[in-house]
Amino acid sequence: MKERGVDVPESVRESLRPRRNEKIMDLVAEAGIDVTPWGVRKDGSVIDNPRTNQTYCYEWAFGGGDQPTALCIWHGSLVISQGLILYDRNMRQYALELDRVAIDRSARSDARSRARIQAKRARNFDSLLQRAYRKSEPVRVVILEGKPHSEPDLRWDTSKVSYRTLDSEVWYVHSYSDDDGSCRLVRKNPPDRILNGENIPPTQPVFVDQFSLPTSVTKHESTGFIFERSSEVRRAVLERAAGVCECCSAPGFKMDNGRIFLETHHVIPLSKNGPDEEWNVVAICPNDHRRAHFGEDRAALRGQLLAYLWTIHPNAQGVIRTLLETDSNELLAKVPERAAAI
Ligand SMILES: [Zn+2]
Ligand SMILES: [Zn+2]
């Protein structure tokens, strides 16, 4: 790998080419991510071989929350520039392209439903990237090798993966554009801002929610009973989301004081004895927040958000499972939303 004492990027890149078909769950575990959720199906039943759990094994990105992050990247997309090994990809844009296929009535129905699922995977990838960027955290990379002759974009299809391996080096998100979603991941070399320690937590919180604003802005939003909310829980949730909507992965908007705004929402409402705990609260964009309260699909959305909380708070799984069971009884779907505070 070394030639005249210098790393030759081409040979390093070649050395990263995976040669064994390791199981994705094992690599995710090797990256330090808790894989106990893999042992349980969505309906709460125990799965014999967690490595085949379809809720997880086809994902493109793993971890987040209080877990490390692992991202799957094709070996063929690794680029060398100025002696560094890079990965440039716009996953937010890719999710939008997939959305277009998903709603295209002229496309085959299997292609449409696959595009819908893949758009969700792309958004999860994008949101984990954004979080790693904002928190200046390194990410682990699972490198994939496809079967020969697979189409570049369909290569995301998991059935096309022949080999995978976990890179032993960490990677860093050097740039992420809030405007268009483009990003750059770099192997091994931290960006200058991390080396210079520019990411020391500011004295003012970077992420704020609706309850941090002057009361005049929000008081019309709650009718009747006001429930006590822990500012500590809200702060922790906003930190966890790192400025990215935990429902649709869109970045929160920047306020003129530079702070990033998202709203916090109790997935099981406080009015329904939902706990004021991190694992029952999500940070979401105002649009999704209204949808979570008033949308005709609010029960489905609640299920989606609980499933999300389930994966990032493995310790709360038992309680969440009980809540999901209650949810499937549609008891919660019948909550008179107007009576509950937003
Ligand atoms: Zn959203
Ligand atoms: Zn709410």
Side-chain angles (χ1 to χ4, degrees):
M1 215 161 301
K2 296 227 172 192
E3 207 173 82
R4 294 185 210 98
V6 181
D7 277 335
V8 179
E10 282 77 9
S11 56
V12 175
R13 178 172 60 181
E14 192 47 39
S15 75
L16 292 173
R17 188 183 294 281
R19 291 168 208 288
R20 286 191 297 153
N21 190 7
E22 296 181 72
K23 295 287 174 236
I24 185 67
M25 189 187 87
D26 298 331
L27 299 178
V28 168
E30 200 182 321
I33 296 165
D34 180 7
V35 291
T36 45
W38 292 55
V40 184
R41 283 190 199 87
K42 264 187 189 158
D43 63 9
S45 61
V46 174
I47 194 162
D48 286 340
N49 184 358
R51 288 177 183 79
T52 62
N53 188 335
Q54 304 208 347
T55 308
Y56 302 100
C57 68
Y58 298 124
E59 283 297 319
W60 302 343
F62 303 87
D66 48 9
Q67 304 273 317
T69 297
L71 305 171
C72 295
I73 287 176
W74 291 94
H75 185 265
S77 352
L78 301 180
V79 175
I80 294 169
S81 171
Q82 298 178 328
L84 299 170
I85 296 181
L86 316 172
Y87 176 79
D88 287 329
R89 173 114 201 176
N90 191 324
M91 288 307 264
R92 205 204 295 174
Q93 202 60 44
Y94 188 46
L96 290 173
E97 284 165 29
L98 289 162
D99 283 343
R100 280 194 278 277
V101 177
I103 58 167
D104 178 2
R105 286 173 184 277
S106 67
R108 283 174 43 167
S109 69
D110 58 336
R112 291 176 61 186
S113 59
R114 192 176 59 216
R116 191 170 303 116
I117 294 165
Q118 294 197 335
K120 212 172 144 215
R121 291 184 188 141
R123 289 216 162 77
N124 183 41
F125 191 115
D126 180 56
S127 114
L128 291 179
L129 258 179
Q130 288 185 50
R131 280 173 204 166
Y133 175 66
R134 297 220 161 83
K135 293 182 152 185
S136 296
E137 283 174 358
V139 299
R140 299 299 301 273
V141 168
V142 173
I143 300 175
L144 312 173
E145 178 77 320
K147 292 201 172 103
H149 315 304
S150 41
E151 306 265 334
D153 260 343
L154 294 176
R155 293 173 86 195
W156 276 105
D157 200 327
T158 309
S159 61
K160 303 266 186 348
V161 175
S162 305
Y163 304 112
R164 41 172 102 71
T165 191
L166 180 72
D167 187 1
S168 56
E169 296 286 352
V170 297
W171 291 57
Y172 294 90
V173 190
H174 274 229
S175 61
Y176 184 90
S177 161
D178 278 339
D179 295 333
D180 69 4
S182 59
C183 85
R184 168 163 289 181
L185 265 173
V186 177
R187 183 174 190 265
K188 208 170 153 181
N189 292 62
D192 289 345
R193 69 190 153 83
I194 292 184
L195 292 173
N196 300 337
E198 282 164 18
N199 281 76
I200 301 154
T203 45
Q204 277 210 318
V206 183
F207 309 115
V208 295
D209 70 355
Q210 71 273 30
F211 300 106
S212 318
L213 300 177
T215 43
S216 57
V217 180
T218 47
K219 74 175 176 206
H220 66 277
E221 291 187 358
S222 34
T223 52
F225 225 69
I226 306 288
F227 291 90
E228 280 292 320
R229 294 172 166 84
S230 155
S231 59
E232 197 48 37
V233 168
R234 288 159 37 214
R235 191 199 52 74
V237 169
L238 290 163
E239 282 290 316
R240 180 186 75 202
V244 182
C245 171
E246 293 184 298
C247 187
C248 71
S249 300
F253 63 81
K254 213 179 246 180
M255 299 167 67
D256 52 13
N257 58 12
R259 293 187 280 173
I260 295 175
F261 182 84
L262 281 176
E263 299 188 344
T264 45
H265 168 67
H266 287 77
V267 181
I268 305 296
L270 293 166
S271 59
K272 281 281 158 185
N273 301 320
D276 191 22
E277 300 282 352
E278 267 178 74
W279 52 262
N280 186 40
V281 181
V282 286
I284 54 179
C285 67
N287 198 39
D288 281 331
H289 196 184
R290 290 297 188 274
R291 198 175 136 220
H293 282 269
F294 307 116
E296 62 170 0
D297 59 344
R298 64 180 188 267
L301 201 60
R302 182 169 291 146
Q304 177 194 321
L305 293 171
L306 282 172
Y308 164 75
L309 290 166
W310 159 290
T311 56
I312 59 167
H313 291 287
N315 295 337
Q317 275 170 20
V319 195
I320 295 176
R321 194 181 309 157
T322 315
L323 294 172
L324 279 170
E325 278 158 16
T326 319
D327 203 25
S328 65
N329 291 336
E330 285 188 282
L331 282 170
L332 291 159
K334 304 272 191 287
V335 177
E337 293 289 337
R338 263 184 313 166
I342 288 271

